[in-house]
Amino acid sequence: MVRILTDSAADFTPAEAEKLGITVIPLNVTFEDGSVIRDSIDMTPDEYYQALSRCKKLPTTSQPSPALFEHAFAQAAAEGDQVVAILISEKLSGTCQSARLGAEMAGCDNVFVIDSTTATLAQALLVRLAVRLRDEGKPAAQIVAAIEQAKKHVHLAAVIDDLNYLRKGGRLPAGVAFAGGMLGVKPLIAVAEGRVKLIGSARGLPGAYVALFKKVEGMGGVNPRFETAAFYTENPREVEPIQTYLTHNLHLPQPHLGQIGCVIGTPAGPGAFAVSFFDPDLTL
């Protein structure tokens, strides 16, 4: 049997993980007072964003310990299962390295570690694709080959509402954040080549949605054969225009809806929203 494993940066709820039959390993979050929580376990996303709004210094995230992966991999090996682990981009976290160390510690040769080169619901789309292939009875090697191909064609584009979180994280000078806030400027970011990158900006929320949809088109457009995702940090209403764009404009099924967790949500801040999809060049 093939087990699908991911980390909490994929932003699955516990109920979603159980329904899909996947294992989720939590990252850690350290607050300015030194307290540490397990992502998506010790706080709900809503509780986390409430805590984030009170922070003068942004929390930091860190990879799971190799021991957590060792336990999961050894358990799978004991039951004769193989593991396909689809994890947050190596350029954003050391989680892949921890997983490889965990496999070595467990003495397992039944583990395939995949650097997703992305995060949050784009990572989740890759996991959902792996689950679909698993449920179709595909062997681990075939699932790995498919995900390695699919990750080249998955995209994530987001709008940032509050520039102060980029400022707190050192990604934006204070003067620029202040001026941008006064002018209602909304930056657009993407996870590309494994990193979070600034890809544009727009004036006001209506302009931000228009700019976001133009970026989707500029990334090649949406492949109708695969699932999509719309996600937010605090307010689910902010993804309603994305849902309308995907379902009414592009005539696609409803996207998966989800809440962005701490890994991307910390620098993005409350009020961010995003879309994720596969481009038409993916031909699995």
Side-chain angles (χ1 to χ4, degrees), residues 3-41:
R3 296 191 185 191
I4 307 298
L5 179 146
T6 191
D7 55 67
S8 62
D11 294 331
F12 285 108
T13 66
E16 287 174 327
E18 182 178 3
K19 181 178 179 181
L20 292 169
I22 61 175
T23 301
V24 179
I25 303 295
L27 277 76
N28 302 304
V29 183
T30 303
F31 287 94
E32 54 192 329
D33 64 359
S35 60
V36 180
I37 64 166
R38 295 167 296 172
D39 179 26
S40 76
I41 293 178

Side-chain angles (χ1 to χ4, degrees), residues 59-147:
T60 58
T61 59
S62 57
Q63 67 264 30
S65 69
L68 284 178
F69 287 106
E70 177 190 17
H71 175 75
F73 297 156
Q75 184 181 57
E79 298 179 15
D81 294 340
Q82 293 180 301
V83 181
V84 176
I86 303 169
L87 305 174
I88 181 176
S89 168
E90 284 195 274
K91 294 179 180 178
L92 298 177
S93 170
T95 300
C96 284
Q97 181 182 12
S98 283
R100 294 186 186 106
L101 286 172
E104 291 179 11
M105 291 163 59
C108 293
D109 58 3
N110 64 321
V111 176
F112 300 87
V113 175
I114 299 175
D115 171 10
S116 72
T117 70
T118 190
T120 191
L121 267 73
Q123 180 181 340
L125 286 181
L126 293 171
V127 174
R128 289 180 183 277
L129 177 57
V131 167
R132 190 189 85 187
L133 296 172
R134 177 204 65 191
D135 292 347
E136 291 174 356
K138 300 294 191 297
Q142 190 170 339
I143 295 173
V144 170
I147 300 305

Side-chain angles (χ1 to χ4, degrees), residues 203-225:
R203 182 76 64 84
L205 274 179
Y209 285 110
V210 171
L212 181 66
F213 302 149
K214 286 184 178 179
K215 289 298 180 183
V216 170
E217 295 169 5
M219 292 172 176
V222 181
N223 191 327
R225 295 179 55 244

